[in-house]
Amino acid sequence: MNTKSAATTERRKLSIGILSRGPSLYSTRRLVEAGRERGHTMRVINPLRCYMNIAAHRPEIHYRGEKLDEFDAIIPRIGASITFYGTAVLRQFEMMGVFPVNESVAITRSRDKLRSLQLLSRRGVGLPVTGFAHSPDDVRDMIGMVGGAPVVIKLLEGTQGIGVVLAETPKAAESVIEAFMGLKANILVQEFIEEAGGADVRCFVVGDRVIAAMKRQAADGEFRSNLHRGGQAMVIKLTPEERATAVRAAKVMGLNVAGVDILRSNHGPVIIEVNSSPGLEGIEAATGHNVAGVIMKFIEKKARPHNTRTKGKG
Ligand code: ADP
């Protein structure tokens, strides 16, 4: 028997749950398909329909009248709007010993842009110079601190490029910041990486490797390259430094699967975001890679009871 078929016969058949509210979403469908192709039992679970028994030493999860105790692994695909409940459900699975592809603690961390940047900066990962202030009295000084206009102003709660504004002059920067502060919105102010030319690089990290990467180029007259904002995706070759930066960023955040967004700056690759539920559609279409299949192989290697860093303690 050759080694390949030996590996196939020996592969453990796993029961894998996907925590997702959208069974028909591309990413969810692809994960189901890739798992079934590899012989696993796949089931999509709506996290908002899970209810929990938190009695001492017997963590349980119930779902539409049934006790869920069959899973070897869970793939969390928890939308930003349900982070609180979704991560509580995931934590309960972790306490039951189920292997989470990304741990609840890491997801919670990555959902807070400011906390993420603080964690990354502490570990020396390249970032755009970034400021954060509370009082309008400190705005002028903070703009100077990040290098002066032009600056990018970001709402901490924004996603998909909404709430990301480019202020080209000091006056514009001050008025936008004051307006956001007046609305009690939390914002961060960042050096504008003009030399990125409206492009960013999405690195898809699984385990300790970048398994696919694409460049996203903003539409004409736009600096935000989000595909939802009309950006175009294309394949690119990463430099070794970009690869290392992306892997390190995912590691610092404690994420096994991550979409790490990088800008190419004059001072090397800088991280703008680490996403814990990166979409599969854009990256699979742009690169032709079977990203869902790689995630399955990672699960096959890692799924063992209680194989987490925090065991839901975080
Ligand atoms: P979101 O999480 O809403 O997508 P991002 O911080 O990723 O917000 O910003 C959206 C887009 O704006 C990025 O993909 C990038 O193209 C552009 N961008 C963000 N920060 C900067 C910056 N400091 N300099 C230049 N362009 C930026």
Side-chain angles (χ1 to χ4, degrees):
M1 198 189 291
N2 70 32
T3 42
K4 186 154 185 270
S5 60
T8 316
T9 9
E10 281 165 25
R11 189 188 301 149
R12 273 190 306 152
K13 301 280 179 275
L14 298 172
S15 173
I16 302 175
I18 303 176
L19 278 185
S20 164
R21 283 204 294 165
S24 58
L25 295 175
Y26 178 92
S27 301
T28 312
R29 280 193 287 113
R30 282 287 298 124
L31 288 163
V32 168
E33 191 177 280
R36 290 193 178 140
E37 260 165 28
R38 299 182 64 81
H40 305 308
T41 305
M42 304 298 297
R43 188 167 169 201
V44 180
I45 300 288
N46 177 353
L48 295 184
R49 296 298 305 273
C50 291
Y51 44 104
M52 297 166 267
N53 175 347
I54 343 198
H57 300 306
R58 277 186 299 103
E60 286 178 2
I61 296 189
H62 293 248
Y63 187 66
R64 300 174 195 267
E66 161 205 2
K67 194 164 118 187
L68 286 183
D69 51 12
E70 78 256 36
F71 295 127
D72 300 297
I74 286 283
I75 307 176
R77 303 282 316 174
I78 295 165
S81 61
I82 62 152
T83 301
F84 179 77
Y85 198 79
T87 51
V89 171
L90 181 60
R91 192 158 49 243
Q92 188 84 352
F93 277 114
E94 289 163 15
M95 288 161 61
M96 291 160 58
V98 179
F99 173 71
V101 166
N102 279 332
E103 290 184 40
S104 53
V105 175
I107 295 173
T108 309
R109 256 182 224 142
S110 74
R111 291 286 154 90
D112 180 336
K113 279 190 194 192
L114 182 61
R115 184 175 178 195
S116 305
L117 292 177
Q118 287 176 316
L119 289 169
L120 293 167
S121 82
R122 190 176 69 182
R123 306 293 292 275
V125 178
L127 301 171
V129 181
T130 304
F132 182 68
H134 179 75
S135 165
D137 297 341
D138 299 320
V139 167
R140 194 168 292 179
D141 197 39
M142 180 180 55
I143 296 172
M145 191 182 77
V146 303
V151 289
V152 175
I153 300 156
K154 296 185 187 182
L155 273 179
L156 281 188
E157 288 78 24
T159 58
Q160 303 181 346
I162 297 163
V164 178
V165 180
L166 172 62
E168 304 198 60
T169 65
K171 271 271 149 283
E174 277 179 46
S175 352
V176 174
I177 295 170
E178 279 166 13
F180 279 142
M181 283 181 166
L183 294 169
K184 306 257 174 280
N186 281 316
I187 49 163
L188 49 85
V189 178
Q190 217 163 49
E191 149 197 31
F192 175 49
I193 311 291
E194 192 166 6
E195 61 273 23
D200 75 353
V201 176
R202 159 60 61 96
C203 303
F204 204 108
V205 177
V206 178
D208 48 16
R209 281 192 321 125
V210 176
I211 58 136
M214 64 177 168
K215 176 169 151 174
R216 295 175 299 197
Q217 180 68 54
D220 273 352
E222 170 64 76
F223 78 102
R224 297 166 299 177
S225 56
N226 305 69
L227 300 183
H228 290 95
R229 313 232 69 74
Q232 293 279 334
M234 58 207 94
V235 191
I236 47 148
K237 198 165 159 35
L238 297 179
T239 65
E241 192 189 4
E242 287 165 347
R243 255 174 214 287
T245 303
V247 169
R248 193 161 151 68
K251 190 145 260 143
V252 169
M253 301 300 298
L255 293 168
N256 293 315
V257 171
V260 181
D261 295 341
I262 287 181
L263 294 180
R264 291 180 156 169
S265 85
N266 289 338
H267 46 99
V270 291
I271 304 278
I272 46 170
E273 185 158 42
V274 183
N275 201 309
S276 58
S277 285
L280 300 188
E281 189 163 16
I283 194 93
E284 287 197 337
T287 63
H289 288 340
N290 178 1
V291 172
V294 180
I295 295 174
M296 287 304 145
K297 286 186 197 162
F298 174 81
I299 295 173
E300 289 159 15
K301 217 163 70 191
K302 297 283 180 180
R304 285 186 306 283
H306 298 286
N307 187 19
T308 65
R309 292 184 216 193
T310 57
K311 304 198 169 35
K313 276 190 291 196

